[in-house]
Amino acid sequence: MTSDRVRPSGGRAAHALAANPPDGSAGRICPADYRYPPSVLDRAPELAADVLYVVGGLYGNLPALDCVERLAGAEGATVVFNGDFHWFDAEQDWFAEIEQRVAGHCAIRGNVETEIARADDVGAGCGCAYPASVAEDLVCRSNAIMVELRATAQALAGAARRMAALPMHLVAQVGGMRVAIVHGDAAALAGWSFAYEALVGPAARAMLEPVRRAAQVDLIASTHTCLAVLRDFELGAGRLTIINNGAAGMPNFAGGCVGVISRIATTPSPHRPLYGLVRDGIHVDAIALAYDNEAFLRRFLARWPAGSTAQASYFQRITAGPDHSVERAVTAPAAASS
């Protein structure tokens, strides 16, 4: 496996960032060290499981983590956190608990963990590589949140070093299926080509054809873009399923307050899926995390009160969900591959 490590944070760089929070242009950059060719996924699996949970975008939500561990324990699932398990937890005790509990499972790093671990500011800001469609004020606030989160991590011995050592991707074997686990997409840690809009657009098949040929995987599980989507494609290079869980630690659909994780398994889920498909005997499902949203909101507002950066960006989503629905998230395999 390629380690793709980053250098741990240094104190002087963090103080400079705190004094001069990066502007929005920084949060739109995808650094060179985020990039990799899809062919790196054509390798022997690092892990094998009969039941695999892929948990992206926990964002420091401890009640959601409670749900993940409870559901996984009920069926002996292997849990992989595919990045951005930190975000709102810019408080030492909170951050340390997330660190300690995630360390009990497999994990790769997202842009959040990567930028926490930086020794120097490379101009990436929060590392989200936001597209032009994302408003400038939201990008600026994300960059400012990262400054506070990095300062929190620096106060905890070894935290930045541990995050720097995490890989950017994993390959798993579930039954006869090869599964790539990434944060963004098949070419970059903060890539957006597995976003909802990209996968439902007319260019999706042409984009995925070389990915399937180079990566030689059957399924790719991603997160990063915060909107859940499941698509299945019959391509010239072979069948490819993409599942993006949206966010485990925030509501995913309008009017609801449930997180979502991806379950990939040789057996049907004992927990009723929101949606899913079965291919080659493998069950690929989106599973709801009905976490205690009130408890999470109390913790969130205690750290990020009215007028703070995170409250301005995320309060609406945490309390009412995004403009997205289960129906939009999934299309039947035949329709997606037509």
Side-chain angles (χ1 to χ4, degrees):
M1 183 200 312
T2 304
S3 64
D4 302 309
R5 297 187 180 190
V6 296
R7 290 178 295 161
S9 299
R12 285 182 296 177
H15 287 310
L17 279 170
N20 302 286
D23 63 19
S25 62
R28 299 189 190 277
I29 294 169
C30 188
D33 63 358
Y34 278 25
R35 300 184 184 278
Y36 46 83
S39 58
V40 300
L41 302 172
D42 183 10
R43 64 179 191 252
E46 284 84 35
L47 63 91
D50 291 327
V51 181
L52 176 66
Y53 284 9
V54 183
V55 182
L58 182 69
Y59 301 124
N61 186 332
L62 286 167
L65 180 52
D66 292 339
C67 278
V68 169
E69 293 185 330
R70 183 170 63 252
L71 295 180
E75 57 174 334
T78 297
V79 177
V80 176
F81 291 88
N82 60 326
D84 291 3
F85 40 89
H86 292 296
W87 189 232
F88 299 128
D89 52 325
E91 184 180 278
Q92 286 189 35
D93 291 346
W94 188 357
F95 189 103
E97 183 172 355
I98 292 291
E99 275 288 282
Q100 184 269 323
R101 291 176 64 178
V102 168
H105 305 280
C106 296
I108 65 174
R109 55 186 162 91
N111 55 282
V112 171
E113 290 77 32
T114 300
E115 294 310 316
I116 288 172
R118 290 282 189 198
D120 302 297
D121 176 23
V122 297
C126 60
C128 296
Y130 284 118
S133 59
V134 176
E136 183 74 2
D137 58 347
L138 189 148
V139 181
C140 291
R141 289 194 295 267
S142 291
N143 293 340
I145 291 168
M146 178 56 70
V147 172
E148 297 194 52
L149 190 61
R150 183 184 286 115
T152 301
Q154 286 180 330
L156 298 169
R161 183 176 65 253
R162 289 189 295 272
M163 283 178 282
L166 293 174
M168 288 198 288
H169 35 70
L170 289 174
V171 177
Q173 189 80 30
V174 180
M177 182 176 287
R178 282 174 47 80
V179 178
I181 303 170
V182 301
H183 181 70
D185 62 24
L189 181 147
W192 285 74
S193 64
F194 295 162
Y196 169 81
E197 294 82 1
L199 291 177
V200 301
R205 292 176 60 81
M207 176 268 292
L208 291 172
E209 188 73 56
V211 169
R212 176 65 177 84
R213 185 175 297 108
Q216 291 296 303
V217 294
D218 305 298
L219 182 146
I220 304 177
S222 70
T223 184
H224 183 59
T225 63
C226 277
L227 286 185
V229 58
L230 170 63
R231 291 292 184 271
D232 189 69
F233 298 86
E234 290 288 355
L235 305 168
R239 189 174 177 182
L240 181 63
T241 304
I242 308 288
I243 187 165
N244 182 331
N245 76 301
M250 286 193 296
N252 285 264
F253 307 111
C257 291
V258 296
V260 173
I261 62 172
S262 299
R263 179 187 184 273
I264 304 146
T266 58
T267 55
S269 176
H271 322 296
R272 184 176 179 179
L274 290 164
Y275 50 82
L277 59 84
V278 181
R279 60 159 290 192
D280 305 319
I282 302 300
H283 299 259
V284 181
D285 295 308
I287 304 295
L289 295 182
Y291 61 84
D292 186 341
N293 198 52
E294 289 300 317
F296 172 58
L297 185 60
R298 286 194 299 272
R299 185 75 179 259
F300 173 84
L301 289 175
R303 175 59 183 83
W304 305 101
S308 67
T309 51
Q311 191 274 344
S313 288
Y314 294 102
F315 181 80
Q316 179 67 22
R317 174 153 183 170
I318 291 170
T319 56
D323 182 16
H324 196 47
S325 68
V326 169
E327 291 74 23
R328 291 181 70 211
V330 65
T331 296
S337 60
S338 60

